Amino acid sequence: AQSVAQPEDQVNVAEGNPLTVKCTYSVSGNPYLFWYVQYPNRGLQFLLKYITGDNLVKGSYGFEAEFNKSQTSFHLKKPSALVSDSALYFCAVRDIQDSNYQLIWGAGTKLIIKP
Amino acid sequence: NAGVMQNPRHLVRRRGQEARLRCSPVKGHSHVYWYRQLPEEGLKFMVYLQKENIIDESGMPKERFSAEFPKEGPSILRIQQVVRGDSAAYFCASSPPKKGLGTDTQYFGPGTRLTVL
């Protein structure tokens, strides 16, 4: 069965420091991996995705994520956090072999950036 | 280019009434997904539709909830005889026809916030 885990409900980071939001996954085949961000009272916005190729994926707003197949992880990172990065972050995965084309979603991680 | 549109943005209903939530996908997108989100919680998948077909409704409650995506017009999520526990944000997402790599990205609407009094 496919699954996604975001082990931290909340991550607190001081402005200017690097941030990491963790995501691990489980699929039977090869994964497609996604990160989305949700600002208060808004819908989800696509940040970045890994489909194939380079393990380091760069996305919107200076975020990047590294696909690590051996650790089955896809952690979201940013070198220097901004207060405006404070939001809810969701990781999602799809097994390439799944013909249903559905994404499996993590529970979300609340990121709080303190000035 | 218009993104996913949802209306109404806010909907207030009394217990026992019906709620109709509309979703217009991105132009050219043929796949629609509905999700529910309770305050401070993650997304819960409800239903996945293609034009005129329900592909997966495993996340939809068996009673009172239904969804459609007709050949013409928006997708509709319908909740009959609403109860207070139905109060939540309902998000619609769409994705393009499945024609190869990278067509899984879902694009979300702003959501409809349903409040049941």
Side-chain angles (χ1 to χ4, degrees), chain B residues 94-107:
Chain B
S94 73
S95 64
K98 309 302 179 183
K99 292 183 179 178
L101 294 180
T103 53
D104 304 78
T105 304
Q106 295 182 16
Y107 298 87

Side-chain angles (χ1 to χ4, degrees), chain A residues 32 34 36 38-46 49 51-52 88 90 94 96 99-103 105-108 110, chain B residues 9 31 33 35 37 40-43 45 48 55-56 58 91 98 100-111 113:
Chain A
Y32 290 158
F34 300 79
Y36 284 78
Q38 185 181 30
Y39 297 102
N41 299 313
R42 304 280 295 276
L44 276 71
Q45 294 180 33
F46 169 74
K49 65 184 175 186
I51 300 296
T52 188
L88 195 55
F90 291 95
R94 179 171 91 75
I96 291 175
S99 60
N100 223 6
Y101 295 99
Q102 286 195 59
L103 297 184
W105 295 86
K110 189 173 186 178
Chain B
R9 294 292 306 276
H31 301 256
Y33 310 79
Y35 296 89
Q37 185 180 37
E40 303 297 318
E41 293 191 12
L43 291 176
F45 167 77
Y48 164 34
I55 306 302
D56 183 351
S58 59
F91 291 98
K98 309 302 179 183
L101 294 180
T103 53
D104 304 78
T105 304
Q106 295 182 16
Y107 298 87
F108 281 77
R113 278 154 185 82

